[in-house]
Amino acid sequence: ICAMAWPMVDLRPVGYVIGLLVAALGVTMVLPFAVDLWAGNGEWPVFLESLILTTLIGGVLALACANSAQGGLTLQQTFLLTTGVWAVLPLFGAIPFVIGATEARAVDAIFEAMSGLTTTGSTVFSGLDQLPEGLLLWRSMLQWFGGVGIIVVAMVFLPELRVGGMQIFRSESFDTGGKVLPRAAQIATRISVIYLFLTAWCYVSYILVGMSSFDALNHALTTLATGGFSTHDASFGAFQGAAEYVATLFMIIASLPFVRYVQLLGGQTGPLWRDSQVRAFVMTLALIITLIVAYRMWSDNIGFAFALRESLFNVTSIMTGTGYASADYQVWGAFPVVVFFFIGLVGGCAGSTCCSIKVFRFQLLFASIRAQVQRLHSPHGVFAPRYEGSPVSEDVLSSVMAFFVMFIVSLGVLSVLLAMTGLDFVTAVSGAATALANIGPGLGDIIGPAGNFAALNDTAKWMLSAAMLIGRLELLAVYAILTVQFWRT
Amino acid sequence: ICAMAWPMVDLRPVGYVIGLLVAALGVTMVLPFAVDLWAGNGEWPVFLESLILTTLIGGVLALACANSAQGGLTLQQTFLLTTGVWAVLPLFGAIPFVIGATEARAVDAIFEAMSGLTTTGSTVFSGLDQLPEGLLLWRSMLQWFGGVGIIVVAMVFLPELRVGGMQIFRSESFDTGGKVLPRAAQIATRISVIYLFLTAWCYVSYILVGMSSFDALNHALTTLATGGFSTHDASFGAFQGAAEYVATLFMIIASLPFVRYVQLLGGQTGPLWRDSQVRAFVMTLALIITLIVAYRMWSDNIGFAFALRESLFNVTSIMTGTGYASADYQVWGAFPVVVFFFIGLVGGCAGSTCCSIKVFRFQLLFASIRAQVQRLHSPHGVFAPRYEGSPVSEDVLSSVMAFFVMFIVSLGVLSVLLAMTGLDFVTAVSGAATALANIGPGLGDIIGPAGNFAALNDTAKWMLSAAMLIGRLELLAVYAILTVQFWRT
Ligand SMILES: [K+]
Ligand SMILES: [K+]
């Protein structure tokens, strides 16, 4: 299959890695298979069939592309691999939704799998509480894989591709010297250990506050991925109380740069505490929570403890882009709704499982504006924007700027396209935002925290699926492939 | 009054110019005075009193500050003058609304005058058809003055202040060599002649298609200002038909760079036709109109001629930021509404009476992104973004970037603040956008094209008034004054 080579681009190394990943994804289906078997719900053939099909196709693809040159990946191949992984894996992740109890059509199954692997968490399924255990676990696993996958991409691939200003983390992520794949495998291993440990810790904590073992497992998987899939239609509304505090803690942990945890393991606590992105993120989050608590106490005359728990959980859930809801915050009034819309566009830290514009980009943009304002006053002075004490290169700044502009323009164009399919203003605009920023719920009656994406038309679902992919890969990693220049050189 | 000098900043030259402009504004009140006298509606004392008060205070201010140093303005003084003019003039422009038939409270009167002088066109008054002629004319005159004022600011002051990337038009606007005021006077004269001629031409055209002389005058004044104040609650709904085509033509004329008309007068037709900003603006407008016409014909099954006229007029009105409405386009469906929201954020050309982000900024940002993408593919190549064939300096690019980011961030923060005062999501977000971009109508039932701003709470009105001022002066001209550095040097 891989023998065909695009003009000048050898697709075999790309096909090889994607094939391996597809086969690996297939192998992991043994878990939901086992769960269904153990639960005795009679659904185990679904995952057995999916497992065989996925592993087989992935294996054949990898074998067909195996005898390709063993050198490093070219820049073009790296671009194609990054997008290719998130474009191809959802097709296989969707199989159980088609043949399983959800009996989903292709568009719904792919939407759900894409929402999983991009850690978005928007769902087209309702009646989650009645779904077989295997399918529920599969949804959570997709998010968990997507989460660890994106950390590796953010630490190894995006700095290499110099996309969205991620090259500012290049030195930090240990320069690959062009050898992306060995480096990726090495980092993936180290990150996976940390990710697994944090997930286990979250699982135990959920158990301790009274969740069932199955719920704890699923929510631990989707918390660390800032994914937001739940096993209940009521989302975290089913676990009001102590579990909300646990979830808040782990959503924040999942939103910090994972490279800091690698350093922490190496005994270095300094980098984490001194990280200006971490500080800015935590301070912004604290400020927003304070505002919402004050508003809730004043507006609805509710007690501090209740207001704090609800606000802490739901604000953190939206700002980190996790997308759980423990209450329909739309009934809190217009102020929280507008705040939730805009903090979802901020997001967490780079190098975490969070999506959206991210804190470091705002820091860099504001640093640039500050330098700009200084220049206004002293036209002949030289003011370079600084980040963490070092001057920021023009290359990084223009990358960040390009990301920001493309994010806003994509948001506008996608809103218009969604409205063209018949969605109302709030559904179109918030749907575009929640897909591009991989948050999960939108606003309004249809796709808001109390609703789901089932009722949307198919065209809108395809658009949103594409937007989740584009947003997850920091836009330009995907857009670059769509240019003529990409294929010419 | 002006004797007090801020630490290191001599405010007298600023006070002198503002005083003169206030006095001049007062003198122009003779026109609505004469109109009320001639109409025999008994309202003439309103403008006589306003005239005396305004001219007196302006004159005293100018005299008190007259014997200041006669050198050019410093950079600080130029900043303060720019913002000062738009902060002070509305206070005097508001007087007739307080003592006249509208009997407005200060907040409403200042909102209306600010909406006028910033050419926004949002109104807090209803029952326009019953207002005395003098007041209606005064609203239109405020927009007309604001329109010519902003062209001068855009051509002389902003390039000098290097705000929002306007310095790219520096050479074009004839470098002032630091002597801002003489240059401003000279350009103001030349621009005013063109502006007056175009207004007269528009007036005659409106008469020819059947408008009454008074309506034609008012709408000519507010069309050329891309202001959007009307003499009827129904706005242009009162003039459906040929007048819509006339208005469309002159709204487009008012959205092109006025420096091109100066060159046209000098016999140079080339610069206008070759201006890439003009081309991009006209092509975008044509594209959007085509889309909306097609949608309207398909969606509501209406004829081409009717769909064309309605779409042509209303799309042009929103994209140029004029803000007339000849129909409640909110009933056309979600697609036009979302389109209208986003094209309002594009706006017309720099150096015209249009506000918003403006076409040239999108051109520069896209040029930068294009260079960025080329660099992605060939990391060692050097790709400079180009505008009209010339490479764009880093200074201009970072200015434009700063403007874009501050615009979006201001939009977010203002939306949150407005929601905090109790406005719903659509009213808060569209109100923030329409004020910052000086468009006029918002979306939704309250401030949409069929409503007005009367029902908003006072806090929201003050916020929106400030936002109109900030948006009109390209954000950073105002924000720069609010920094500590500004007052220190
Ligand atoms: K999410
Ligand atoms: K306007």
Side-chain angles (χ1 to χ4, degrees):
Chain A
I1 315 169
C2 289
M4 62 172 184
W6 236 268
M8 305 296 293
V9 186
D10 183 3
L11 289 181
R12 285 173 302 170
V14 176
Y16 178 67
V17 178
I18 292 180
L20 285 185
L21 289 172
V22 168
L25 186 74
V27 170
T28 66
M29 289 179 183
V30 75
L31 289 172
F33 162 75
V35 165
D36 273 345
L37 202 63
W38 179 81
N41 56 22
E43 292 282 332
W44 58 266
V46 169
F47 280 97
L48 189 60
E49 288 163 36
S50 304
L51 188 159
I52 295 170
L53 194 64
T54 305
T55 316
L56 211 67
I57 297 181
V60 168
L61 180 64
L63 279 177
C65 302
N67 48 0
S68 62
Q70 283 302 310
L73 293 181
T74 67
L75 201 58
Q76 276 169 313
Q77 288 168 337
T78 314
F79 267 105
L80 288 171
L81 176 58
T82 312
T83 300
V85 168
W86 263 270
V88 172
L89 258 60
L91 303 181
F92 294 93
I95 296 175
F97 300 125
V98 175
I99 64 178
T102 43
E103 295 181 353
R105 293 175 308 127
V107 53
D108 285 329
I110 290 172
F111 179 99
E112 193 80 6
M114 183 65 89
S115 175
L117 280 164
T118 58
T119 78
T120 305
S122 306
T123 184
V124 288
F125 298 137
S126 55
L128 296 177
D129 308 65
Q130 280 77 50
L131 282 189
E133 288 79 354
L135 270 183
L136 289 174
L137 180 63
W138 183 238
R139 289 168 81 244
S140 309
M141 284 170 61
L142 286 174
Q143 292 209 318
W144 197 79
F145 295 140
V148 72
I150 209 63
I151 299 175
V152 173
V153 164
M155 287 177 71
V156 184
F157 287 78
L158 297 181
E160 191 72 23
L161 300 179
R162 306 197 309 163
V163 157
M166 294 298 284
Q167 58 268 46
I168 201 172
F169 302 113
R170 203 162 180 171
S171 62
E172 220 163 54
S173 313
F174 336 97
D175 202 345
T176 62
K179 297 271 179 197
V180 171
L181 288 182
R183 193 70 211 148
Q186 191 183 340
I187 294 205
T189 312
R190 219 182 295 184
I191 291 291
S192 296
V193 171
I194 294 169
Y195 192 64
L196 200 61
F197 165 75
L198 289 172
T199 309
W201 184 20
C202 182
Y203 167 76
V204 172
S205 308
Y206 278 143
I207 296 271
L208 290 178
V209 295
M211 264 195 206
S212 77
S213 178
F214 185 70
D215 280 342
L217 174 62
N218 281 284
H219 287 94
L221 292 173
T222 62
T223 301
L224 262 294
T226 62
F229 271 157
S230 175
T231 49
H232 299 272
D233 285 341
S235 186
F236 245 73
F239 308 106
Q240 285 169 350
E244 289 176 82
Y245 289 107
V246 173
T248 302
L249 174 67
F250 283 95
M251 287 191 284
I252 293 173
I253 288 177
S255 304
L256 306 186
F258 272 62
V259 67
R260 298 284 168 254
Y261 301 137
V262 176
Q263 291 164 325
L264 217 55
L265 270 191
Q268 294 176 272
T269 55
L272 178 61
W273 307 128
R274 281 197 301 271
D275 189 324
S276 77
Q277 190 181 201
V278 171
R279 291 176 176 208
F281 168 69
V282 172
M283 271 154 44
T284 309
L285 187 61
L287 174 73
I288 307 282
I289 290 170
T290 310
L291 279 177
I292 299 288
V293 168
Y295 171 85
R296 287 280 284 151
M297 290 175 66
W298 164 81
S299 157
D300 291 346
N301 202 22
I302 58 177
F304 174 73
F306 180 58
L308 179 67
R309 177 162 56 79
E310 269 202 349
S311 308
L312 199 64
F313 177 82
N314 289 286
V315 170
T316 306
S317 172
I318 296 301
M319 182 151 167
T320 62
T322 307
Y324 292 136
S326 72
D328 183 3
Y329 45 75
Q330 292 196 110
V331 302
W332 295 359
F335 172 59
V337 168
V338 176
V339 169
F340 279 35
F341 180 78
F342 285 103
I343 59 167
L345 299 184
V346 177
C349 302
S352 73
T353 57
C354 294
C355 186
S356 200
I357 296 175
K358 298 195 185 75
V359 173
F360 87 102
R361 292 210 178 85
F362 282 98
Q363 291 179 293
L364 287 174
L365 291 170
F366 289 149
S368 166
I369 292 172
R370 207 175 304 128
Q372 178 74 14
V373 167
Q374 287 172 318
R375 236 174 294 162
L376 284 183
H377 300 140
S378 322
H380 304 295
V382 175
F383 304 95
R386 304 180 81 84
Y387 183 69
E388 306 233 284
S390 310
V392 182
S393 75
E394 271 310 326
D395 180 49
V396 168
L397 273 183
S398 54
S399 265
V400 170
M401 187 277 302
F403 176 88
F404 188 81
V405 174
M406 287 316 293
F407 192 92
I408 302 295
V409 170
S410 301
L411 185 62
V413 171
L414 181 59
S415 302
V416 167
L417 292 176
L418 287 171
M420 212 185 259
T421 74
L423 307 195
D424 65 273
F425 182 81
V426 170
T427 304
V429 174
S430 72
T434 205
L436 278 173
N438 292 172
I439 300 168
L443 295 174
D445 296 334
I446 305 169
I447 60 169
N452 65 52
F453 287 68
L456 301 192
N457 61 76
D458 288 358
T459 317
K461 283 176 187 166
W462 287 120
M463 287 174 181
L464 289 169
S465 300
M468 292 183 223
L469 168 72
I470 291 168
R472 184 70 275 189
L473 297 177
E474 315 268 312
L475 310 165
L476 289 172
V478 182
Y479 290 154
I481 297 181
L482 307 176
T483 60
V484 178
Q485 288 110 315
F486 181 84
W487 297 100
R488 207 157 44 193
T489 39
Chain B
I1 316 170
C2 289
M4 62 171 187
W6 236 269
M8 305 296 292
V9 186
D10 184 2
L11 290 180
R12 286 173 301 171
V14 177
Y16 177 67
V17 178
I18 292 180
L20 285 185
L21 289 172
V22 168
L25 186 74
V27 170
T28 66
M29 289 178 183
V30 75
L31 289 173
F33 163 76
V35 165
D36 274 344
L37 202 63
W38 180 80
N41 56 21
E43 293 281 333
W44 58 266
V46 169
F47 280 98
L48 189 58
E49 289 163 36
S50 303
L51 186 159
I52 295 170
L53 194 65
T54 305
T55 316
L56 212 65
I57 298 180
V60 168
L61 181 63
L63 278 177
C65 301
N67 49 1
S68 62
Q70 284 301 309
L73 293 180
T74 66
L75 200 58
Q76 277 169 312
Q77 290 168 337
T78 312
F79 267 106
L80 288 170
L81 176 59
T82 311
T83 301
V85 167
W86 263 270
V88 172
L89 258 59
L91 303 180
F92 294 92
I95 295 175
F97 300 125
V98 174
I99 64 179
T102 43
E103 294 180 354
R105 293 175 306 128
V107 53
D108 285 330
I110 290 172
F111 179 99
E112 193 80 6
M114 184 63 89
S115 175
L117 280 163
T118 57
T119 77
T120 305
S122 306
T123 184
V124 288
F125 298 137
S126 55
L128 295 177
D129 309 66
Q130 281 78 49
L131 283 189
E133 288 79 353
L135 269 184
L136 289 175
L137 181 61
W138 183 238
R139 291 168 81 245
S140 309
M141 284 169 62
L142 286 174
Q143 292 210 316
W144 196 77
F145 295 141
V148 73
I150 210 62
I151 298 175
V152 174
V153 164
M155 287 177 72
V156 184
F157 287 79
L158 297 182
E160 191 73 21
L161 300 179
R162 306 197 308 164
V163 156
M166 294 297 284
Q167 58 269 44
I168 202 173
F169 303 111
R170 204 162 180 170
S171 61
E172 223 165 51
S173 313
F174 336 99
D175 203 346
T176 62
K179 298 271 181 198
V180 171
L181 288 180
R183 193 70 211 147
Q186 191 181 340
I187 294 204
T189 313
R190 219 182 294 184
I191 292 292
S192 297
V193 171
I194 293 168
Y195 193 64
L196 199 62
F197 164 75
L198 289 172
T199 309
W201 184 21
C202 182
Y203 167 75
V204 172
S205 307
Y206 278 143
I207 296 272
L208 290 178
V209 294
M211 265 195 205
S212 78
S213 179
F214 185 70
D215 280 342
L217 174 61
N218 281 285
H219 287 94
L221 292 173
T222 61
T223 301
L224 263 295
T226 61
F229 273 157
S230 175
T231 50
H232 300 272
D233 286 341
S235 185
F236 245 74
F239 308 107
Q240 286 170 348
E244 289 175 82
Y245 289 107
V246 173
T248 302
L249 173 68
F250 283 96
M251 289 191 284
I252 292 173
I253 288 176
S255 305
L256 306 186
F258 272 62
V259 65
R260 300 283 167 252
Y261 301 138
V262 176
Q263 291 164 324
L264 217 54
L265 271 190
Q268 297 174 269
T269 55
L272 177 60
W273 306 130
R274 280 196 303 267
D275 189 325
S276 76
Q277 189 180 201
V278 171
R279 288 176 179 210
F281 168 69
V282 172
M283 269 155 43
T284 309
L285 187 60
L287 174 72
I288 307 282
I289 291 170
T290 309
L291 279 178
I292 299 287
V293 168
Y295 171 84
R296 289 279 285 150
M297 290 176 65
W298 165 79
S299 158
D300 291 347
N301 202 20
I302 59 177
F304 174 72
F306 180 57
L308 178 67
R309 176 162 57 77
E310 270 203 348
S311 308
L312 198 65
F313 177 82
N314 289 287
V315 170
T316 306
S317 172
I318 296 301
M319 180 150 169
T320 62
T322 308
Y324 293 137
S326 72
D328 182 2
Y329 44 76
Q330 292 196 111
V331 302
W332 295 359
F335 172 58
V337 168
V338 176
V339 168
F340 279 38
F341 179 79
F342 286 102
I343 60 167
L345 300 183
V346 177
C349 302
S352 73
T353 57
C354 293
C355 187
S356 200
I357 296 175
K358 299 194 183 74
V359 173
F360 86 101
R361 292 209 179 88
F362 282 99
Q363 292 179 292
L364 287 174
L365 290 170
F366 289 149
S368 167
I369 292 173
R370 207 174 304 128
Q372 177 75 14
V373 168
Q374 287 173 319
R375 239 174 292 160
L376 284 183
H377 300 140
S378 322
H380 305 294
V382 175
F383 304 96
R386 304 179 82 83
Y387 184 67
E388 306 233 283
S390 310
V392 182
S393 75
E394 270 310 326
D395 180 49
V396 168
L397 272 184
S398 54
S399 267
V400 169
M401 187 275 302
F403 175 89
F404 188 82
V405 174
M406 288 314 295
F407 192 92
I408 301 295
V409 171
S410 301
L411 184 63
V413 171
L414 181 59
S415 301
V416 168
L417 292 175
L418 288 170
M420 211 186 262
T421 74
L423 307 195
D424 65 273
F425 182 81
V426 169
T427 304
V429 174
S430 73
T434 204
L436 278 173
N438 293 173
I439 300 168
L443 296 175
D445 296 335
I446 304 168
I447 60 170
N452 66 53
F453 287 69
L456 301 192
N457 61 76
D458 287 0
T459 317
K461 283 176 186 166
W462 286 121
M463 288 175 181
L464 289 170
S465 301
M468 292 182 222
L469 167 72
I470 291 168
R472 184 72 275 188
L473 297 177
E474 315 267 313
L475 310 165
L476 289 171
V478 181
Y479 291 154
I481 296 180
L482 306 177
T483 60
V484 179
Q485 289 110 316
F486 181 84
W487 297 99
R488 206 157 44 192
T489 37

